[in-house]
Amino acid sequence: MTTATAPDILSAEFARDPYSAYQVMRESHPLIWHEPTSSYVISRYRDVARAFKEPVFTSRNYEWQLEPVHGRTILQMEGREHSTKRNLVASAFRGKDLAEKFVPVIARNSASLIDGFRASGSVDLVADYATKFPINVIVDMLGLPTSDHALFHRWYTAIMAFLANLAGDEEVTQAGLRTKAELEAYLLPIIAERQANPGGNLLSIMCTAEIDGVRMTDQEIKAFCSLLLVAGGETTDKAITSVMRNLVAHPDQLRAVREDHSLIPAAFAETLRLTPPVHMIMRQPAEDVELSGGTVEAGRTVTCLIGAANRDPEQYTDPDTFDIHRPDLDLSRAYTAGANHTAFALGRHFCVGALLARTELEIGIAQLLDAMDDIRFTDGSPPPEHGVFTRAPQSLRLTFTPTA
């Protein structure tokens, strides 16, 4: 369905304010053929949820979208291969392994970064904390040298730029491909060493995990590390920034979370709904599919607008309002494949690192609130968001009173 007045997801106007465009799309243009990205764009909650849940919607799009920069990851896999390879890594991101092995790593990295600015009474939370915290955690979880934190941050930035390069900038593309080669040259010898001498780190777990005689290949382990670097870094980075921005902009809710840290998962879930880190994920149907507004032909790419679906008034009351006590957001399932928001996708390709992200947010936000009192926007008002594929403030300057 092509309409001249439909919003263009690559326009400067859309980048400034996608939320107004999302409303127009949901109401008048629920299915748009977008020529520059050669994809159908969908925006209603029920359509996006179908694209994530129904088996007819495959992840074949990742063959051209992700494979050039990551290699073949579990996101490109379907059926038994997907479930087996996913299960090989999933245990490290939940339960005993997460609690015993990696929670101390998360807490240590967060505290170290906070110690770097807490006495000053001011911080750019993006530059001084959010962009560093998840990457440092991932490097340490993998059991790699802490001296390589900056190197991984550079690789993460280049890969993320590649994935967000909807306009096809050739320099960005080439930088991403160089990064793939550099990361492969770095990791493959370490993977071989861990297979021979495994330890208790995440990389060793992936090197030795086995189900019914099936293990991950060296290339699959390398690809998952690359994917983890971006998926775990970008979402957590932007989520921390947006959670703090949303809370500081709503002092009553900030006060409630400060007084009761058990509300942090609710603040995170509501942020995922209202201002998600990732605004679009693609799928590719294996057969013709009827969606709101028309038919998507088999093999076509579908751009699923998470940011639009999560503000659909047919799904949520007062959807443009931040409310950590929202009754129509199911907190009991907010970090599972059965969530009723779409920020982590849904169904079989639900984000394998969702509980890791929740753990990082719980620890990080709690430590930030414990270290910072009377938090205010340095410039007096919330900073604007930036980005189209992923979105959050580029800077979050806060002034605060250091706690004793």
Side-chain angles (χ1 to χ4, degrees):
M1 180 177 181
T2 306
T3 317
T5 56
D8 177 4
I9 62 173
L10 295 184
S11 69
E13 182 182 15
F14 180 88
R16 283 191 299 272
D17 179 18
Y19 302 109
S20 296
Y22 292 156
Q23 181 177 353
V24 173
M25 290 174 167
R26 286 191 307 263
E27 292 176 355
S28 305
H29 307 285
L31 185 66
I32 301 168
W33 172 251
H34 187 250
E35 190 65 39
T37 57
S38 297
S39 72
Y40 283 101
V41 181
I42 61 175
S43 50
R44 291 180 178 172
Y45 180 93
R46 62 175 178 268
D47 293 326
V48 171
R50 282 187 61 196
F52 289 155
K53 290 179 179 179
E54 294 184 4
V56 69
F57 288 92
T58 75
S59 59
R60 291 290 301 274
N61 53 285
Y62 288 140
E63 292 176 3
W64 59 264
Q65 188 182 9
L66 299 185
E67 195 160 337
V69 74
H70 287 312
R72 189 167 184 266
T73 75
I74 58 174
L75 292 180
Q76 285 106 292
M77 300 174 188
E78 296 287 350
R80 181 174 178 81
E81 181 188 28
H82 171 259
S83 61
T84 299
K85 295 297 174 66
R86 181 184 173 99
N87 286 336
L88 285 171
V89 300
S91 65
F93 296 96
R94 60 176 183 251
K96 184 178 179 180
D97 275 345
L98 179 59
E100 293 185 0
K101 294 181 179 178
F102 301 129
V103 163
V105 173
I106 294 168
R108 182 178 68 249
N109 275 283
S110 175
S112 176
L113 290 169
I114 292 171
D115 285 345
F117 63 78
R118 67 183 299 166
S120 68
S122 65
V123 63
D124 180 348
L125 201 70
V126 174
D128 298 333
Y129 183 86
T131 58
K132 298 176 181 179
F133 174 43
I135 301 302
N136 293 359
V137 166
I138 289 168
V139 172
D140 290 0
M141 285 178 66
L142 290 170
L144 301 172
T146 57
S147 58
D148 288 342
H149 282 174
L151 178 62
F152 273 86
H153 191 274
R154 177 171 66 80
W155 285 337
Y156 150 72
T157 302
I159 296 172
M160 195 59 237
F162 178 98
L163 298 176
N165 186 24
L166 299 178
D169 185 298
E170 185 61 25
E171 289 188 13
V172 173
T173 298
Q174 291 304 314
L177 296 178
R178 286 194 302 272
T179 295
K180 179 191 177 185
E182 291 175 13
L183 185 59
E184 183 170 300
Y186 174 98
L187 278 176
L188 287 180
I190 298 175
I191 289 169
E193 191 277 329
R194 297 292 167 84
Q195 288 168 335
N197 301 289
N201 52 72
L202 177 58
L203 189 53
S204 294
I205 292 172
M206 289 191 286
C207 287
T208 57
E210 183 175 322
I211 295 177
D212 296 332
V214 176
R215 289 191 175 195
M216 296 176 74
T217 68
D218 292 6
Q219 285 292 334
E220 287 170 345
I221 294 168
K222 186 275 302 180
F224 185 81
C225 290
S226 179
L227 177 65
L228 178 63
L229 186 64
V230 172
E234 182 75 0
T235 55
T236 307
D237 164 1
K238 286 181 163 48
I240 289 170
T241 301
S242 294
V243 168
M244 288 298 291
R245 177 187 182 272
N246 290 340
L247 287 174
V248 176
H250 298 83
D252 290 348
Q253 297 184 65
L254 173 61
R255 188 178 309 113
V257 174
R258 181 186 295 284
E259 293 173 356
D260 182 1
H261 286 179
S262 72
L263 292 173
I264 293 174
F268 182 24
E270 175 65 347
T271 293
L272 289 172
R273 185 199 65 80
L274 184 74
T275 51
V278 178
H279 272 237
M280 52 187 73
I281 289 178
M282 295 178 178
R283 289 290 185 263
Q284 184 174 313
E287 305 169 4
D288 290 0
V289 179
E290 290 292 326
L291 295 173
S292 301
T295 302
V296 173
E297 301 88 358
R300 292 289 195 180
T301 299
V302 179
T303 298
C304 307
L305 295 181
I306 290 170
N310 281 353
R311 293 192 181 207
D312 191 332
E314 291 191 7
Q315 179 70 15
Y316 307 102
T317 301
D318 200 12
D320 297 322
T321 298
F322 180 74
D323 180 8
I324 64 172
H325 304 293
R326 173 177 295 279
D328 49 12
L329 184 60
D330 186 351
L331 295 178
S332 68
R333 298 188 298 165
Y335 302 96
T336 73
N340 72 335
H341 65 80
T342 63
F344 284 128
L346 299 166
R348 65 197 184 284
H349 282 293
F350 175 78
C351 176
V352 70
L355 288 180
L356 172 62
R358 171 180 168 165
T359 303
E360 289 180 298
L361 262 290
E362 285 190 274
I363 292 171
I365 297 297
Q367 289 189 355
L368 286 167
L369 295 182
D370 286 345
M372 305 160 64
D373 201 1
D374 190 26
I375 307 173
R376 307 173 302 284
F377 295 115
T378 301
D379 298 328
S381 59
E385 297 178 349
H386 291 269
V388 174
F389 180 68
T390 60
R391 189 170 178 86
Q394 289 181 326
S395 175
L396 181 57
R397 299 190 61 80
L398 300 173
T399 303
F400 61 92
T401 301
T403 59

